[in-house]
Amino acid sequence: LRPRSPGRARHINACRRACLVARFGFIYAQERFEAETLLRTYISDTEMVQRIIYTAAVESFYAAKMAYWKFRVQVKETLSLDRLGSDSLEDAVLDHIVCHKDSYDFHASVKEVICSMNINPKISFPPEFNFTVLSTLIQELCCLAFSMQTLIPPLDIAFGIDGELFNENKYYRSSDSDFTAAFVAYHIWPALVEDGVVIVKGEVVTRR
């Protein structure tokens, strides 16, 4: 099961990290915008559209992280039969996951995300609307989040809550924000963090 070069994932960690961070930025700049445009054909409230996209991002990262840790446990149990040392085993597990990311059942994660969004009290939608229209965006986010868990250290999104104090090191204000307001009204896109440090700012709306 192991790749030929144990520890290879660590050696190319910086390269993988740069690609994944760039991908996160592209999804924010392009695919998020396309998803918002699509949602506006069903929902006229801009704030609700943005809340839905943000919720999709948060739920996608959560679902992908859970799937990653389940997958990691399975791989570790299998490779431990080789009775490797603890360090060698960890490298072998990471290498295997990086080389077999296609084994990740992102379809299951997409379903989990949609189910979670359907019962989320912070978002509302017309009775005829179905979150499956966002499946492409959710799939991209799940696959990205899963890959980010294979980095050392892993990347994650920052926890955000409505009403939190605006932090300019963590967020950008949207163009329609009240720039004198001190608190976040709602989130448009999450910040990306590494070991608790923001490496890509998120976007929020601030209002009095």
PDB file of all heavy atoms in Angstrom, residues 60-72:
ATOM      1  N   SER A  60     -18.690  22.332   4.410  1.00  0.00           N
ATOM      2  CA  SER A  60     -17.827  21.521   3.548  1.00  0.00           C
ATOM      3  C   SER A  60     -16.517  21.198   4.247  1.00  0.00           C
ATOM      4  O   SER A  60     -16.034  20.056   4.184  1.00  0.00           O
ATOM      5  CB  SER A  60     -17.545  22.259   2.234  1.00  0.00           C
ATOM      6  OG  SER A  60     -18.721  22.412   1.470  1.00  0.00           O
ATOM      7  N   PHE A  61     -15.933  22.178   4.906  1.00  0.00           N
ATOM      8  CA  PHE A  61     -14.684  21.927   5.625  1.00  0.00           C
ATOM      9  C   PHE A  61     -14.910  20.944   6.768  1.00  0.00           C
ATOM     10  O   PHE A  61     -14.095  20.050   7.009  1.00  0.00           O
ATOM     11  CB  PHE A  61     -14.091  23.244   6.154  1.00  0.00           C
ATOM     12  CG  PHE A  61     -13.060  23.841   5.244  1.00  0.00           C
ATOM     13  CD1 PHE A  61     -13.433  24.521   4.106  1.00  0.00           C
ATOM     14  CD2 PHE A  61     -11.704  23.704   5.511  1.00  0.00           C
ATOM     15  CE1 PHE A  61     -12.494  25.057   3.241  1.00  0.00           C
ATOM     16  CE2 PHE A  61     -10.751  24.242   4.661  1.00  0.00           C
ATOM     17  CZ  PHE A  61     -11.136  24.920   3.524  1.00  0.00           C
ATOM     18  N   TYR A  62     -16.013  21.096   7.456  1.00  0.00           N
ATOM     19  CA  TYR A  62     -16.301  20.194   8.572  1.00  0.00           C
ATOM     20  C   TYR A  62     -16.478  18.759   8.079  1.00  0.00           C
ATOM     21  O   TYR A  62     -15.892  17.823   8.632  1.00  0.00           O
ATOM     22  CB  TYR A  62     -17.560  20.650   9.299  1.00  0.00           C
ATOM     23  CG  TYR A  62     -17.952  19.741  10.440  1.00  0.00           C
ATOM     24  CD1 TYR A  62     -17.283  19.796  11.669  1.00  0.00           C
ATOM     25  CD2 TYR A  62     -18.977  18.799  10.293  1.00  0.00           C
ATOM     26  CE1 TYR A  62     -17.627  18.947  12.712  1.00  0.00           C
ATOM     27  CE2 TYR A  62     -19.315  17.954  11.332  1.00  0.00           C
ATOM     28  CZ  TYR A  62     -18.640  18.025  12.533  1.00  0.00           C
ATOM     29  OH  TYR A  62     -18.981  17.162  13.567  1.00  0.00           O
ATOM     30  N   ALA A  63     -17.269  18.581   7.037  1.00  0.00           N
ATOM     31  CA  ALA A  63     -17.521  17.235   6.502  1.00  0.00           C
ATOM     32  C   ALA A  63     -16.237  16.598   5.982  1.00  0.00           C
ATOM     33  O   ALA A  63     -15.976  15.412   6.201  1.00  0.00           O
ATOM     34  CB  ALA A  63     -18.561  17.301   5.385  1.00  0.00           C
ATOM     35  N   ALA A  64     -15.412  17.382   5.297  1.00  0.00           N
ATOM     36  CA  ALA A  64     -14.167  16.854   4.742  1.00  0.00           C
ATOM     37  C   ALA A  64     -13.177  16.477   5.843  1.00  0.00           C
ATOM     38  O   ALA A  64     -12.478  15.463   5.732  1.00  0.00           O
ATOM     39  CB  ALA A  64     -13.544  17.877   3.803  1.00  0.00           C
ATOM     40  N   LYS A  65     -13.127  17.256   6.891  1.00  0.00           N
ATOM     41  CA  LYS A  65     -12.206  16.936   8.000  1.00  0.00           C
ATOM     42  C   LYS A  65     -12.623  15.646   8.691  1.00  0.00           C
ATOM     43  O   LYS A  65     -11.769  14.818   9.043  1.00  0.00           O
ATOM     44  CB  LYS A  65     -12.166  18.099   9.002  1.00  0.00           C
ATOM     45  CG  LYS A  65     -11.374  19.301   8.510  1.00  0.00           C
ATOM     46  CD  LYS A  65     -11.155  20.324   9.613  1.00  0.00           C
ATOM     47  CE  LYS A  65     -12.448  20.948  10.061  1.00  0.00           C
ATOM     48  NZ  LYS A  65     -12.250  21.976  11.112  1.00  0.00           N
ATOM     49  N   MET A  66     -13.915  15.467   8.880  1.00  0.00           N
ATOM     50  CA  MET A  66     -14.390  14.233   9.490  1.00  0.00           C
ATOM     51  C   MET A  66     -14.067  13.025   8.607  1.00  0.00           C
ATOM     52  O   MET A  66     -13.632  11.970   9.090  1.00  0.00           O
ATOM     53  CB  MET A  66     -15.895  14.313   9.734  1.00  0.00           C
ATOM     54  CG  MET A  66     -16.323  15.334  10.777  1.00  0.00           C
ATOM     55  SD  MET A  66     -15.572  15.026  12.416  1.00  0.00           S
ATOM     56  CE  MET A  66     -14.239  16.235  12.413  1.00  0.00           C
ATOM     57  N   ALA A  67     -14.268  13.183   7.308  1.00  0.00           N
ATOM     58  CA  ALA A  67     -13.976  12.097   6.366  1.00  0.00           C
ATOM     59  C   ALA A  67     -12.486  11.783   6.357  1.00  0.00           C
ATOM     60  O   ALA A  67     -12.085  10.614   6.283  1.00  0.00           O
ATOM     61  CB  ALA A  67     -14.445  12.484   4.966  1.00  0.00           C
ATOM     62  N   TYR A  68     -11.656  12.826   6.457  1.00  0.00           N
ATOM     63  CA  TYR A  68     -10.203  12.619   6.453  1.00  0.00           C
ATOM     64  C   TYR A  68      -9.763  11.795   7.664  1.00  0.00           C
ATOM     65  O   TYR A  68      -8.975  10.850   7.529  1.00  0.00           O
ATOM     66  CB  TYR A  68      -9.476  13.972   6.459  1.00  0.00           C
ATOM     67  CG  TYR A  68      -7.981  13.826   6.661  1.00  0.00           C
ATOM     68  CD1 TYR A  68      -7.154  13.491   5.600  1.00  0.00           C
ATOM     69  CD2 TYR A  68      -7.411  13.999   7.926  1.00  0.00           C
ATOM     70  CE1 TYR A  68      -5.785  13.335   5.785  1.00  0.00           C
ATOM     71  CE2 TYR A  68      -6.051  13.844   8.115  1.00  0.00           C
ATOM     72  CZ  TYR A  68      -5.243  13.512   7.047  1.00  0.00           C
ATOM     73  OH  TYR A  68      -3.890  13.342   7.243  1.00  0.00           O
ATOM     74  N   TRP A  69     -10.271  12.129   8.825  1.00  0.00           N
ATOM     75  CA  TRP A  69      -9.825  11.424  10.026  1.00  0.00           C
ATOM     76  C   TRP A  69     -10.320   9.979  10.038  1.00  0.00           C
ATOM     77  O   TRP A  69      -9.620   9.083  10.500  1.00  0.00           O
ATOM     78  CB  TRP A  69     -10.283  12.179  11.282  1.00  0.00           C
ATOM     79  CG  TRP A  69      -9.444  13.403  11.493  1.00  0.00           C
ATOM     80  CD1 TRP A  69      -9.825  14.704  11.354  1.00  0.00           C
ATOM     81  CD2 TRP A  69      -8.052  13.428  11.821  1.00  0.00           C
ATOM     82  NE1 TRP A  69      -8.760  15.538  11.577  1.00  0.00           N
ATOM     83  CE2 TRP A  69      -7.669  14.789  11.873  1.00  0.00           C
ATOM     84  CE3 TRP A  69      -7.107  12.443  12.085  1.00  0.00           C
ATOM     85  CZ2 TRP A  69      -6.364  15.185  12.169  1.00  0.00           C
ATOM     86  CZ3 TRP A  69      -5.803  12.845  12.380  1.00  0.00           C
ATOM     87  CH2 TRP A  69      -5.448  14.192  12.416  1.00  0.00           C
ATOM     88  N   LYS A  70     -11.488   9.729   9.489  1.00  0.00           N
ATOM     89  CA  LYS A  70     -11.957   8.348   9.372  1.00  0.00           C
ATOM     90  C   LYS A  70     -11.075   7.561   8.402  1.00  0.00           C
ATOM     91  O   LYS A  70     -10.691   6.415   8.668  1.00  0.00           O
ATOM     92  CB  LYS A  70     -13.411   8.325   8.884  1.00  0.00           C
ATOM     93  CG  LYS A  70     -14.419   8.828   9.902  1.00  0.00           C
ATOM     94  CD  LYS A  70     -15.823   8.838   9.324  1.00  0.00           C
ATOM     95  CE  LYS A  70     -16.831   9.394  10.328  1.00  0.00           C
ATOM     96  NZ  LYS A  70     -18.204   9.474   9.753  1.00  0.00           N
ATOM     97  N   PHE A  71     -10.742   8.186   7.286  1.00  0.00           N
ATOM     98  CA  PHE A  71      -9.880   7.557   6.288  1.00  0.00           C
ATOM     99  C   PHE A  71      -8.493   7.295   6.868  1.00  0.00           C
ATOM    100  O   PHE A  71      -7.898   6.237   6.670  1.00  0.00           O
ATOM    101  CB  PHE A  71      -9.792   8.472   5.059  1.00  0.00           C
ATOM    102  CG  PHE A  71      -9.079   7.860   3.884  1.00  0.00           C
ATOM    103  CD1 PHE A  71      -9.135   6.504   3.627  1.00  0.00           C
ATOM    104  CD2 PHE A  71      -8.357   8.661   3.004  1.00  0.00           C
ATOM    105  CE1 PHE A  71      -8.489   5.949   2.532  1.00  0.00           C
ATOM    106  CE2 PHE A  71      -7.704   8.125   1.909  1.00  0.00           C
ATOM    107  CZ  PHE A  71      -7.777   6.762   1.677  1.00  0.00           C
ATOM    108  N   ARG A  72      -8.006   8.250   7.637  1.00  0.00           N
ATOM    109  CA  ARG A  72      -6.672   8.121   8.235  1.00  0.00           C
ATOM    110  C   ARG A  72      -6.611   6.955   9.221  1.00  0.00           C
ATOM    111  O   ARG A  72      -5.630   6.207   9.258  1.00  0.00           O
ATOM    112  CB  ARG A  72      -6.299   9.424   8.942  1.00  0.00           C
ATOM    113  CG  ARG A  72      -4.876   9.462   9.497  1.00  0.00           C
ATOM    114  CD  ARG A  72      -4.583  10.812  10.120  1.00  0.00           C
ATOM    115  NE  ARG A  72      -3.226  10.866  10.612  1.00  0.00           N
ATOM    116  CZ  ARG A  72      -2.822  10.367  11.772  1.00  0.00           C
ATOM    117  NH1 ARG A  72      -3.715   9.777  12.574  1.00  0.00           N
ATOM    118  NH2 ARG A  72      -1.561  10.454  12.156  1.00  0.00           N
TER     119      ARG A  72
END
